[in-house]
Amino acid sequence: MAADTRDQLTGVTSAAPVTVPLADAAGLRDTPQPLIAHGCWYPSADPTGEQVAFICDRTGVPQLWTGPVDGSEIHLLDADPDPVTEVAWSPDGRWIAYTVAPGGGELTRVLCVRPDGTGRRIVAGADSGTSAYLGCWTRDGSAVAVTVAEPPPSPPGHTARPAARQTARQDTAAAPDHEVVFADLPAGWADRDGPATLLGGARRGDVGPSGTPRDRPRPAAGLTDAGGLGAPGTFTPVSGDGAADGMPSGAIDGAPWHVNGEGAPACLDDGSAGGPDGGARDRLTAYLVDPDGLRSPVLVAAESGAATLRVCDVSQDERFALVRRGPRGRREAVVVRTADLVTGSVLRVGDGDPWIGRFSPDGRTLWLRSDHERRFAALLAAGLDEDGGRLGLSVLAEREESDLELLAFAEDGRTAALAWNVQGASELQTLGLPAGGPAPSGAATGTTPPRDVPLPHEVVTRITRAGPGGMVLAVAGSQRRPGVWWVSSRALTARTPWSSRDEDAVPPGRPPVRPVPLRPVARDGLHLGGWYYRAPGRAAGRPAPCVIHLHGGPEEQERPVFDPLYHELLGRGLDVFAPDVRGSSGWGREFVDADLGTGRFAAIDDVADCAAHAVLTGRADPTRLAVMGRSYGGYLTLASLVWHPELFRTGVAVCGMSDFATFFAETEPWIAESAAHKYGHPVRDRELLRSLSPMSRVDALRVPLLAVHGEHDTNVPPGESEQMVRAARERGLQAELLTLLDEGHDFRRADNRRLFRRTAADWMERHLGA
């Protein structure tokens, strides 16, 4: 961020968050009958390291649990159905803070509860239209940092846009109105129960070919089958007794490394007084809040027109706060003096995990995961003066061609745990930190040689300290669901008994497929990455029908972990190629930035080049290719179908943008700030964004399209899918929209994820002829 904007970190704010007491959650202490294949993730240990708070979907919804590292007796601390996304146990052991997503939507709030389930309360995000997420605890556990996102005030005479597209539920399903939107229903069709509805059922009547709104009642969480999607009469309500998807918040089907929890990845600060669309700008404010309510909230930072503002650490003496802010691809670590909120120093940090660093015990050194003047993130040590200004900068640990992805610290602050991203897989080390401050430049002295820690599976998604010398890891892999492992001071790792076993990842009979890495080359010579999954039972050398699956972000990365969606597609005889096109993380800073501006046209071509690579290597059948993706991957799916209309036989776009103009107009203000940096400014770059929008080329669409969206998605609003499906149907193409109820941009509920992946696999199987 430009130097002249650095002092804008604080400004006029609204009232601080007020703690709202809730009913105690101690009534439900027995462990419900678990889903066999559940996931556990986002662990946070108590001060002793003997107990862990974590997120688990063993009931079908990601909820807050606690349990011992070496015992099986666990407890559900919050039985509410709102999905939990982040967890942090206080250093004094008295509170557990966590973030929830009410109704499964995008606007989150922060709660605290005591380890025995009593004292539950909302500490931020209770006000309508606001969203809140977790920061760090102070070292003594007396306060937790929270960031509150507040939308800009509505102009005079205008009604504020609702936070989510809520619709009133009906107790009974109404007869579907398919007169305009769909052809006649097939013989044997019947009303169905389920957590979703298809476009053209009794749900979204305003997206028919005529574009005329039609008011009509909504079915009770019904799935309306039309246009041949799914065999009639075969849908069975999900009861929760099957295999749940071990999926953390922030992913669609088992992708834990995508967790961010900020709801607002970045901003573009161009010095203007308005937001990206010229309107009023939103505010992010960060406070230290006492869950006991004995002292008033303390303002740490505030910024208008921002999209990321997270308090990552507070020094032992509470003189300094470490704040992470800035646009996607241009993050910054800011040292703030808490006494007067003056910025002490600013240093660039990488994207990815928001927990970027920590102050040394004496507050004179800042240890930071940073890509400052580097291609790949490394562990840096910055010396600090009395005002938080930077004195020197040294490299403590680095790896050639590998990002430092996760960084955590032992309780004494003298040992660091480092997780390196090595072409998509993780390698874990511990490192002793120097007692003195860093040298003015070059490598710091006083560090001990790093010690490798063996990993049970391919990817570490979170590291947290666990008592003296121990740590707790969240681990995922290609052969299992996400789970939690305990690492003792002797570097011995053990799976916690309440994490599912490897052999329970899938029902017996068809084990998970271990992918192989591929390195396609784009038409301009850029080396890409990705993982290829071969359907079991296919003879070697026989080209297969193949689904190109595109991740979101764009800065996310494909990782070799078990994905129930891929498992479903592979079981239908379809190969899956999951590439990293330009803009993905894990391959260096220039790779992440290669899709900016007009570079996005090259990213669209990368999808075609990856498909060509799969064909030319003999893996994929060129006549049976499909493309699919979520979020930014959903956008790329739509873009690939209209830029390369003869290449793919069908596509499935999940929560994808179809028109940047409507996206900027309807998304959350802080999301718009983020997107303006990554995709282009909606005013200055209007023509570029128009030319990049799939809707501007919809006449080129030639193949059937399935779109999927969460009804409460305010990141990429459902209208993005609706208008694309409507346009496709107006042109005589088969197009359907599956809207998942009680979901936002991320699908968190096991029954919804199961319905989504089976519907998508049915669609792919039908159109690829596997």
Side-chain angles (χ1 to χ4, degrees):
M1 192 171 291
D4 61 352
T5 68
R6 290 177 181 171
D7 291 335
Q8 298 179 10
L9 192 64
T10 59
V12 178
T13 64
S14 62
V18 177
T19 301
V20 179
L22 299 174
D24 286 345
L28 183 58
R29 304 298 292 165
D30 296 331
T31 300
Q33 181 65 35
L35 298 172
I36 294 175
H38 59 272
C40 300
W41 62 93
Y42 218 101
S44 182
D46 75 347
T48 68
E50 298 173 355
Q51 296 286 323
V52 179
F54 57 97
I55 302 174
C56 183
D57 66 352
R58 63 197 296 130
T59 64
V61 179
Q63 292 174 306
L64 176 66
W65 295 75
T66 59
V69 295
D70 56 356
S72 58
E73 183 181 355
I74 63 175
H75 299 291
L76 176 64
L77 282 195
D78 190 338
D80 286 353
D82 294 333
V84 176
T85 62
E86 299 175 300
V87 180
W89 206 315
S90 66
D92 61 4
R94 297 189 309 116
W95 290 102
I96 299 172
Y98 57 110
T99 303
V100 300
E106 301 307 300
L107 303 185
T108 57
R109 58 180 48 161
V110 176
L111 284 75
C112 279
V113 67
R114 297 195 184 278
D116 64 357
T118 62
R120 193 167 62 112
R121 59 199 59 192
I122 302 172
V123 297
D127 295 335
S128 176
T130 65
S131 186
Y133 52 88
L134 266 176
C136 66
W137 284 94
T138 55
R139 302 292 178 94
D140 62 1
S142 64
V144 62
V146 297
T147 297
V148 180
E150 305 168 89
S154 299
H158 287 72
T159 301
R161 179 175 58 84
R165 299 176 56 164
Q166 305 283 352
T167 53
R169 293 183 180 273
Q170 305 294 323
D171 292 333
T172 58
D177 175 5
H178 59 277
E179 181 179 12
V180 177
V181 180
F182 286 116
D184 287 340
L185 296 172
W189 181 91
D191 287 345
R192 301 175 178 188
D193 285 332
T197 180
L198 278 167
L199 173 66
R203 172 66 176 90
R204 297 195 182 276
D206 58 340
V207 294
S210 67
T212 303
R214 293 185 300 281
D215 295 326
R216 54 191 181 185
R218 170 185 180 182
L223 174 68
T224 314
D225 191 0
L229 182 58
T234 59
F235 178 76
T236 302
V238 178
S239 62
D241 57 352
D245 305 338
M247 183 208 73
S249 162
I252 197 169
D253 245 328
W257 56 93
H258 297 169
V259 173
N260 188 359
E262 295 177 78
C267 72
L268 175 66
D269 194 333
D270 59 358
S272 61
D277 59 358
R281 311 191 83 171
D282 65 297
R283 285 192 303 272
L284 293 182
T285 52
Y287 295 90
L288 297 178
V289 179
D290 175 14
D292 290 303
L294 301 179
R295 64 174 180 171
S296 300
V298 177
L299 178 67
V300 177
E303 191 168 12
S304 294
T308 301
L309 195 66
R310 186 188 291 260
V311 182
C312 298
D313 192 29
V314 177
S315 62
Q316 184 75 44
D317 57 12
E318 299 191 14
R319 290 194 306 121
F320 300 131
L322 173 62
V323 176
R324 176 181 179 261
R325 72 169 186 189
R328 225 160 50 187
R330 298 294 184 272
R331 308 283 196 196
E332 292 177 333
V334 184
V335 177
V336 178
R337 283 200 323 239
T338 56
D340 52 14
L341 305 186
V342 171
T343 297
S345 57
V346 179
L347 194 68
R348 175 168 165 165
V349 296
D351 289 324
D353 188 74
W355 305 107
I356 54 175
R358 185 174 173 87
F359 294 105
S360 63
D362 62 6
R364 302 301 300 270
T365 304
L366 174 63
W367 294 309
L368 205 60
R369 180 184 65 83
S370 171
D371 61 356
H372 174 70
E373 298 181 349
R374 313 174 62 83
R375 289 182 61 213
F376 292 91
L379 176 59
L380 306 183
L384 302 177
D385 62 22
E386 290 297 325
D387 295 322
R390 197 171 86 223
L391 294 175
L393 190 65
S394 301
V395 179
L396 296 185
E398 62 180 330
R399 282 199 177 187
E400 188 175 350
E401 302 296 314
S402 296
D403 265 319
L404 177 58
E405 185 173 38
L406 300 174
L407 175 63
F409 298 88
E411 190 62 42
D412 62 4
R414 292 300 182 189
T415 304
L418 316 175
W420 301 92
N421 182 333
V422 183
Q423 296 189 3
S426 298
E427 294 184 8
L428 182 64
Q429 292 181 322
T430 58
L431 177 70
L433 298 171
S441 62
T445 59
T447 59
T448 60
R451 182 176 64 176
D452 294 336
V453 179
L455 291 174
H457 292 280
E458 293 98 322
V459 178
V460 175
T461 65
R462 184 166 170 78
I463 310 171
T464 184
R465 59 184 178 272
M471 16 178 206
V472 173
L473 311 175
V475 178
S478 61
Q479 306 299 295
R480 66 159 291 110
R481 309 276 176 149
V484 176
W485 264 253
W486 175 55
V487 184
S488 72
S489 58
R490 300 184 303 278
L492 301 176
T493 59
R495 178 182 61 84
T496 54
W498 29 267
S499 293
S500 61
R501 303 176 303 171
D502 295 358
E503 55 267 33
D504 292 329
V506 296
R510 183 166 59 87
V513 171
R514 191 181 298 276
V516 297
L518 294 184
R519 293 301 306 272
V521 178
R523 61 193 65 186
D524 61 0
L526 182 66
H527 286 262
L528 310 175
W531 298 86
Y532 197 93
Y533 297 76
R534 183 72 166 173
R538 190 171 299 278
R542 180 185 174 191
C546 181
V547 177
I548 308 297
H549 189 277
L550 306 167
H551 64 67
E555 302 91 344
E556 292 171 6
Q557 182 187 13
E558 268 305 321
R559 311 297 291 271
V561 300
F562 175 74
D563 189 323
L565 171 64
Y566 297 175
H567 189 71
E568 186 80 33
L569 293 170
L570 293 164
R572 309 295 183 95
L574 309 174
D575 283 10
V576 176
F577 181 26
D580 288 325
V581 302
R582 69 191 69 203
S584 305
S585 62
W587 303 99
R589 172 55 57 190
E590 71 280 6
F591 194 88
V592 172
D593 290 344
D595 66 342
L596 296 179
T598 56
R600 200 151 317 279
F601 293 109
I604 297 170
D605 286 339
D606 287 349
V607 180
D609 294 340
C610 288
H613 182 83
V615 169
L616 294 176
T617 55
R619 294 177 171 87
D621 182 345
T623 67
R624 292 190 291 173
L625 295 173
V627 62
M628 177 180 183
R630 189 195 74 86
S631 191
Y632 176 72
Y635 160 77
L636 272 187
T637 295
L638 297 174
S640 298
L641 292 176
V642 297
W643 259 270
H644 303 285
E646 308 301 330
L647 182 59
F648 299 105
R649 187 178 285 189
T650 189
V652 177
V654 184
C655 301
M657 300 163 291
S658 62
D659 189 306
F660 281 109
T662 55
F663 163 72
F664 274 108
E666 295 296 328
T667 188
E668 297 290 351
W670 49 91
I671 299 294
E673 294 281 353
S674 166
H677 169 78
K678 193 63 182 178
Y679 305 121
H681 195 283
V683 177
R684 296 194 307 269
D685 302 317
R686 181 181 292 112
E687 288 305 310
L688 172 64
L689 293 176
R690 186 194 63 79
S691 62
L692 284 168
S693 296
M695 282 294 294
S696 68
R697 296 175 58 95
V698 71
D699 285 340
L701 186 64
R702 299 286 185 272
V703 298
L705 171 68
L706 172 65
V708 184
H709 229 106
E711 68 166 342
H712 299 321
D713 189 350
T714 57
N715 184 331
V716 179
E720 293 300 301
S721 289
E722 293 171 356
Q723 63 192 5
M724 193 70 183
V725 169
R726 179 175 63 241
R729 293 185 65 83
E730 288 173 347
R731 287 156 179 79
L733 298 172
Q734 183 183 359
E736 315 287 4
L737 173 60
L738 177 68
T739 299
L740 295 177
L741 308 188
D742 297 318
E743 298 287 7
H745 194 60
D746 302 308
F747 304 158
R748 297 184 171 105
R749 303 178 190 277
D751 52 356
N752 276 336
R753 296 198 306 273
R754 184 181 298 109
L755 176 61
F756 155 69
R757 69 173 185 267
R758 290 178 180 174
T759 302
D762 286 345
W763 182 274
M764 290 295 188
E765 187 176 20
R766 180 177 304 113
H767 291 287
L768 293 185

